[in-house]
Structure formats: C-alpha cells, structure tokens
Amino acid sequence: MNYDVAVVGAGPAGLMAAKTAAELGLKVALIEKRKDIACITRACCQQFIMDDNFQGDTIKIEHGKVFFTHNGFAVDYDGPLLNVTDKYFVSPGGHTIHFSNNDKSPIVVKFDKGLLLQGLWDHCMQQGVTLLPGVRVSGATDTGKGIEMTLAGGGGTETIKARKLLIAEGVNAKTAGRLGLNIDRTHFATALCTLSVLEGIRDFEPATLKSYMGVAYQSFAPLIMGPCLEGSDLRYLVIIGNQNRKPDQIYQNILTKSPLAALFANARIVKKTACMATAYSSLRVPYRDNVLVIGDAAAYVEVETQGAMTCGFQAGSAVAQEIEGQRGFAKYTRWWQDSFEFNSDDYLQVAQGFALVPTYIDDELDYLFALIEDETLEGSFNQYKSPRLMWSAILRYQDRIAQERPELHEKINSKNLTLSDVL
C-alpha cells in the first residue's frame, strides 16, 4: 500500500499527528503495536499541567473539550477530571515547601488517558486514517523518494510505502534508531519506574501532590504521591529506580526503613504499572530527509501528554506542507526548539544546579526547606520553573546560610552546581 504519510506510534503525539494530517487531506497510515489503544498498561503521565506556556502552550478545560490556546486547536474529552491544587516538596524531617495558587486554581488536572486516546483514535477513523493496531515495524528504509517499511503482525509481514514518515513511538523509539537518527544523541541514564495505586494510606490530604526528597526515603529520585482519579480513598505512588536500585526493593525499604513507614502501615497495592525510560539528549533537529521524529521520541525524557499533542498537531501541519513542496519539517524544528526548555544550551546546567539529591544530604535538606516552609510559592508543576521558584526563595537567606552553615553556603554557590548561571 502507498500512503502520503505513515505515523508510527498511537500515543497522544502520533494520534494527533495522524488526525491533523488526515484533516488536511492526506492519505495516512497509523501503526501501533498495541491492540487496544484505551488499555493503559505502562506507567505514564495522566494529568494535564496547568502552568501558563508549559511545553509551548497554555491549556483550558471546559465544555467537554481541552483547548490549546497558543496553538489554536481543541480535543474532545468528556471523561472524569480531578483537580490538584497544592504541591509540597517534603524533606526527610518533614519540613515542606508549598506551591499553590492564590485562587486555589489547579496546578494539575488528573484525567483518564485511555478515554482521551480512544477519542482521538475514533476521530482518526472518522477522518479515513488506515488504522493498523497490533503491528510492529520490523524494518524501515528512507529511499530518498520516500519510506519503505516492513510491518509484522497477525502472524505475517507486509510492506508499505509512504512519502513521509512521522515517528512517535515514545521515549524508547526503535524506528528512529533503525534509521540512524539517534546516532549522535548522548545516553544519560535508563530509569525503571513503577506507578502503584494504593489503598490504606493514612492521613493524606485530598487534592495534594507530595514529592518526598532525601536518602531517608530510600531513593535518590523523589517519591511522588498524589490523589487518584479512581477513588478518593486511593493514592498513587511513583517510584523511580534503576538496575541497581529497583523500584520494588525501594518500596519494601519505604515500608520498613523510611519516615513514611507509619503512613504505609496499612497500605495495599491494588494496581501497578511499570515502564523503562531511557534519557537521551534531545534531538534539537528532529528530522532528516523524509523522516520527522516527534514527542517523547525526540525529547530529553518526555514532553508530557499535552506537549505530545502539540507536537502531533504541529507535525501534522508540517508534513502537509512538506507534501506540498514547502519546508514544513524545518518550520516544525524552529517551533520545537523554541517551545521546549530542554532544547536550550544550558538545560543540563539547569538540571545539575537544581539537583537536590544526592547533592544535598538529608540534614541539609531539612535546614533549607525549614527556611521557607512558612511561605507559599506560586502554584507551578513545571519541572524547570518549580526549582527556580524554590531556589529564589531559599537564596533570599544567603547571608543567614553563610553565617549558620558556611559549608552548605559554599556548596550552594559552588561553580559545579551552576546556580549563579541559571537563577
């Protein structure tokens, strides 16, 4: 079969790209390894982030739609929603840094991702997209004139051709690697992540997200806990580990060795999903010849659901321009570089400068968090903005830190932490 566009991956980026390209009159094939798009079996983001201009857009949710106000499109969603209005960073000793908006507007909104994806899938079907579930790409070649792909599924193989290819396979994209687009990317780490739904958690505030930070919590990465869409008596817990410190072992250590042991005394896991996420430097130029890589597949770790949908929308428009002989992929690249903070030259300096664990020991975290625990900072979820807000508040106490904890003050201002460069 011959197509104008083949899209690999039916997550939010791929679905939005296929839908947009079809609406612009292109013949589109959408290839997805899962058979049931609405069944979420992998640990993933299921929340909209309400920061202004986050991942290139500001979203509003009303009247059964999610509006992307900067990019100028909307998607249907009439499923359940759950507002989270308060976020806390928690130190080993229980000192907190509080983020919340003055009007108690949500920082994030939880949603049913399976329902959202199924709605986009149905829209693709209505637009005439050829949907190929339960199919994997086993080979791909850019011939210069187009793309030839070998697909495996249902006990057999077939070959399809397309003038252009959009790769939206997520953080562990294999097709991009087969075509050589990842060859110059730096591999930083491979994380193992579990997302557990728990019952029996004691004394946990509703509408509140907490990130527990410090070695006392048995993990170098924050433990993230928040409310569940599935029920007011349930909580979700995100644990990030690696091959040496696996999430299941971290969880057992939380139950027996951490300051959260009492909180978890009656906890029971009722559902668990997992994933492996490979962190690469971003593809700042995410295209080559007839291929464009979008969403998480081109990102430093991930772009979240809403960032993926904006990537899909922009990519669908870009590929239509390419088919018309314009430089749509180059235009997409400029938008990509401007919209996502991890494409800046100093993003690793930012990440290093904001690192709390293991840079700071537990006693230092307790001291720093206590300095500002009576304040309420702006209600931001943005993983770059939140630390900026935190450090801006902490560094108002530089003179006090220098007097009371001179070694800690020296660590904060150490050149290898680059805080002076990013604040």
Side-chain angles (χ1 to χ4, degrees):
M1 291 288 292
N2 294 330
Y3 298 91
D4 293 318
V5 186
V7 181
V8 181
L15 284 163
M16 197 69 211
K19 174 179 177 291
T20 304
E23 288 171 345
L24 293 171
L26 301 185
K27 185 179 181 182
V28 183
L30 178 58
I31 302 154
E32 169 55 43
K33 64 183 180 180
R34 292 174 295 161
K35 292 183 178 181
D36 183 358
I37 197 69
C39 182
I40 306 299
T41 59
R42 182 179 182 275
C44 62
C45 168
Q46 298 193 50
Q47 58 192 20
F48 294 119
I49 296 163
M50 305 306 291
D51 286 53
D52 287 343
N53 199 31
F54 178 74
Q55 310 287 45
D57 217 322
T58 299
I59 67 171
K60 297 185 182 299
I61 308 171
E62 55 189 12
H63 309 305
K65 290 185 178 291
V66 182
F67 293 91
F68 292 74
T69 60
H70 295 179
N71 284 273
F73 70 95
V75 297
D76 293 335
Y77 177 77
D78 61 359
L81 297 167
L82 176 63
N83 291 344
V84 178
T85 57
D86 295 84
K87 181 179 80 169
Y88 292 88
F89 292 167
V90 186
S91 78
H95 299 286
T96 60
I97 299 175
H98 184 202
F99 300 82
S100 183
N101 294 316
N102 291 332
D103 61 358
K104 285 298 181 180
S105 58
I107 298 172
V108 299
V109 178
K110 304 288 292 181
F111 69 96
D112 185 332
K113 187 173 182 179
L115 189 61
L116 178 75
L117 296 182
Q118 186 64 58
L120 289 170
W121 180 270
D122 293 342
H123 275 292
C124 286
M125 183 182 298
Q126 293 164 12
Q127 292 298 324
V129 175
T130 299
L131 301 172
L132 300 171
V135 171
R136 296 176 180 270
V137 177
S138 59
T141 303
D142 189 337
T143 67
K145 295 181 179 180
I147 303 295
E148 294 185 2
M149 287 190 295
T150 303
L151 308 181
T157 62
E158 66 172 313
T159 299
I160 68 169
K161 296 180 180 180
R163 297 169 68 182
K164 303 292 178 182
L165 173 63
L166 303 180
I167 298 174
E169 291 180 300
V171 293
N172 303 314
K174 294 182 178 180
T175 305
R178 288 190 181 102
L179 290 167
L181 277 87
N182 289 335
I183 194 168
D184 294 324
R185 299 178 73 181
T186 301
H187 174 229
F188 296 113
T190 297
L192 303 178
C193 175
T194 59
L195 191 158
S196 300
V197 176
L198 305 169
E199 64 179 9
I201 297 294
R202 295 173 44 199
D203 305 323
F204 193 94
E205 300 90 337
T208 299
L209 180 71
K210 292 188 176 181
S211 294
Y212 298 92
M213 301 181 180
V215 175
Y217 295 113
Q218 306 302 309
S219 175
F220 288 135
L223 303 175
I224 304 171
M225 189 183 299
C228 276
L229 197 65
E230 294 90 338
S232 60
D233 60 337
L234 301 176
R235 298 291 178 263
Y236 76 83
L237 173 69
V238 176
I239 300 177
I240 301 172
N242 54 36
Q243 288 291 348
N244 296 322
R245 296 172 64 89
K246 294 185 177 180
D248 287 349
Q249 184 58 58
I250 293 172
Y251 180 74
Q252 292 303 316
N253 291 341
I254 293 170
L255 299 182
T256 58
K257 301 179 181 179
S258 83
L260 296 177
L263 186 70
F264 279 72
N266 298 311
R268 186 176 74 88
I269 297 175
V270 298
K271 179 183 176 182
K272 184 170 73 172
T273 54
C275 70
M276 181 180 72
T278 304
Y280 285 100
S281 57
S282 67
L283 265 175
R284 295 191 188 183
V285 179
Y287 75 97
R288 181 186 301 165
D289 300 327
N290 294 306
V291 181
L292 175 66
V293 186
I294 67 173
D296 288 352
Y300 169 62
V301 186
E302 60 183 358
V303 297
E304 312 286 349
T305 296
Q306 66 216 66
M309 285 195 285
T310 58
C311 286
F313 176 77
Q314 289 287 343
S317 300
V319 77
Q321 294 168 4
E322 286 281 329
I323 295 293
E324 294 173 357
Q326 303 175 40
R327 292 180 55 79
F329 288 173
K331 182 179 178 181
Y332 175 93
T333 296
R334 291 191 294 273
W335 169 83
W336 165 252
Q337 291 173 349
D338 290 342
S339 298
F340 293 87
E341 191 161 1
F342 52 68
N343 286 318
S344 66
D345 290 336
D346 66 348
Y347 79 103
L348 281 180
Q349 291 180 317
V350 171
Q352 185 182 13
F354 291 159
L356 289 172
V357 181
T359 302
Y360 299 95
I361 62 174
D362 287 1
D363 172 69
E364 293 169 337
L365 292 175
D366 284 334
Y367 175 83
L368 292 172
F369 283 31
L371 291 173
I372 60 172
E373 68 178 341
D374 293 331
E375 304 179 30
T376 299
L377 307 183
E378 179 185 340
S380 171
F381 188 87
N382 186 321
Q383 61 265 48
Y384 293 98
K385 184 177 180 179
S386 294
R388 284 195 178 97
L389 294 170
M390 177 191 71
W391 280 112
S392 292
I394 289 173
L395 292 180
R396 292 200 306 271
Y397 296 88
Q398 280 217 70
D399 291 343
R400 177 177 167 182
I401 298 170
Q403 181 178 4
E404 295 178 350
R405 303 288 293 266
E407 292 183 359
L408 176 57
H409 184 264
E410 182 178 353
K411 181 186 289 189
I412 291 172
N413 288 280
S414 172
K415 284 297 182 182
N416 63 5
L417 294 179
T418 66
L419 284 175
S420 61
D421 296 328
V422 299
L423 292 175

